[in-house]
Every structure is written in C-alpha cells, then in structure tokens.
Amino acid sequence: MPDSAPQQLLHLVIGGELVDLEHNVFKNLDDVDIVGLYPNYAAAHAAWRAKAQSTVDNAQMRYFIVHLHRLLDPNQEPAR
C-alpha cells in the first residue's frame, strides 16, 4: 500500500433491541441491524447518530460503534 494512502481505521455500526437497559444483550440476534462498515470514526459516528435518532421512540433500542481496527491490530497505539 502506498505511503500516501489515508490510514484506514475500520469501524462497524450495529444495533438492536436490548433485553434490558442494564446489559448490552440483544433480545434477538437474528434482528440485529448491521448498519455498515466505515473507514474512520467520524463516518461511523455520523451513521450511528442517524440510526440512534431514528429509533429514539424505542427505549430498548441501542446502536453501538465497534472499533474493528483495535480487534485487528490490538498492539496499535491509540490515535491522540
């Protein structure tokens, strides 16, 4: 990969209805909404915000940003 290519910090946005508000346990894994895969946190955050705001009427519904780049390369230094 060329040195001039932007660094890709993959993020996944997922969500669904939780069993309760105390735990991050989905009520039904078959209904988990996989919103998408994003090349950086800013893009993932925009997608997360849109989905979270569209489900504001359902208190059990939650969306999350998963930092896939941390799972793929756990020794990577966090960006500052």
Side-chain angles (χ1 to χ4, degrees):
M1 181 182 317
D3 291 335
S4 62
Q7 184 178 17
Q8 200 175 62
L9 298 175
L10 295 177
H11 292 79
L12 173 67
V13 178
I14 63 170
E17 197 164 356
L18 300 180
V19 172
D20 61 53
L21 299 178
E22 300 296 318
H23 305 92
N24 293 335
V25 177
F26 292 110
K27 188 179 280 188
N28 184 349
L29 288 177
D30 291 332
D31 293 335
V32 169
D33 182 12
I34 300 172
V35 179
L37 186 63
Y38 301 90
N40 56 54
Y41 181 81
H45 188 264
W48 167 84
R49 180 179 296 280
K51 289 302 276 189
Q53 287 178 343
S54 74
T55 60
V56 71
D57 291 337
N58 183 348
Q60 299 293 103
M61 195 70 130
R62 292 288 188 272
Y63 281 85
F64 303 92
I65 298 174
V66 181
H67 299 264
L68 290 181
H69 61 95
R70 292 181 186 165
L71 297 174
L72 294 171
D73 187 3
N75 295 324
Q76 179 182 12
E77 290 294 318
R80 298 200 188 245

